[in-house]
Amino acid sequence: MARGTKRWLAAIGLAGVLTLSAAVPAQAATGGNNDFGCRPSAAHPNPVVLLHGTFATYYEDLNFLQADLAARGYCTFSLTYGAYPQFPFAGGLKPVAESSLEIKAFVEKVRAATGAAKVDVVGHSEGGLQSLYLAKMQGIQRELGQVVAIAPPTHGANASGLLTLAYTLLGKSTWDTIVKTIGLPIFADELDGGAAIVALNTGPVAQPGIGYTIITSRYDELVTPTETSFVREPGVRNQYVQDFCPVDPVGHIGEAYDLNVWHLVRNALDPANAAPIKVCAAGSPG
């Protein structure tokens, strides 16, 4: 099934949920996404920057989660990072380090515009990796409150062994040359041994003063082994969706749209008011 079709199937069931979300009493005058006039409330003092995955954009991937958070009173912001000017319809393609500079500038813009002391960052897939990389590598630790990474390839992903096979057949050097030549250097960065993975995992990933939550599914088929998402360091919350909703079959793309994941994200952003999931939803496999 094509990636776009999977996203559509995962999202179509949310229309009713978003209608209900719109009825949630707002606790800040958010005005929707990327409202730089938004002023965070006492209930949600940190604006939230959402980071999409590879091949996605700010308006597709975490856009439904963004709308849900905005309806609940958060100031929410997002950008398409890592896109080429000649083809702005797909982001997350450039090297992680290069995209991270775009994200850093955006986070600082959000913080300055809103007057917030700190910004929370929520990312899915590559966006999750970017959130962890940003917090460690860009020198803005004091500007970040919570980092919530959904299915990040923290230690490198093998896509159910397919990328490992490519390495084995072609060799790392040849693979890296091919993906860089066709304009997809991210596929060299995200694998085990990739530049971004090595940089992130040299020394501790988690930085002092930041709250970390890693969320993934046992049925994720792209960021595999699924354990590769987790940061096994003091103070980091590592969560499988199935620890809370055992029968949720949600896969990698579906995690961006999964109502159980959204609940865990909200708990991570506001741990003082974290609530259990009372009724589990069934997310989209794949």
Side-chain angles (χ1 to χ4, degrees), residues 180-205:
K180 290 175 182 177
T181 299
I182 64 176
L184 296 173
I186 187 61
F187 289 127
D189 252 7
E190 290 185 308
L191 273 65
D192 184 22
I197 301 302
V198 171
L200 180 63
N201 290 283
T202 299
V205 173

Side-chain angles (χ1 to χ4, degrees), residues 8 17 25 30 52 58 67 85 107 110-111 114 118 130 135 149 152 156 167 175 212 231 255 260 268 280-281 283 285:
W8 179 81
V17 175
T30 61
H52 61 77
Y58 83 91
V107 166
V110 167
R111 194 173 72 90
T114 59
K118 294 190 175 186
Q130 290 283 4
Y167 260 23
W175 170 262
Y212 287 87
V231 176
E255 287 167 271
N260 306 319
C280 289

Side-chain angles (χ1 to χ4, degrees), residues 85-109:
Q86 59 271 35
F87 191 77
F89 308 108
L93 307 182
K94 295 181 179 180
V96 168
E98 187 174 340
S99 293
S100 185
L101 294 174
E102 294 180 55
I103 296 168
K104 175 187 178 182
F106 188 77
V107 166
E108 292 182 319
K109 178 182 177 182

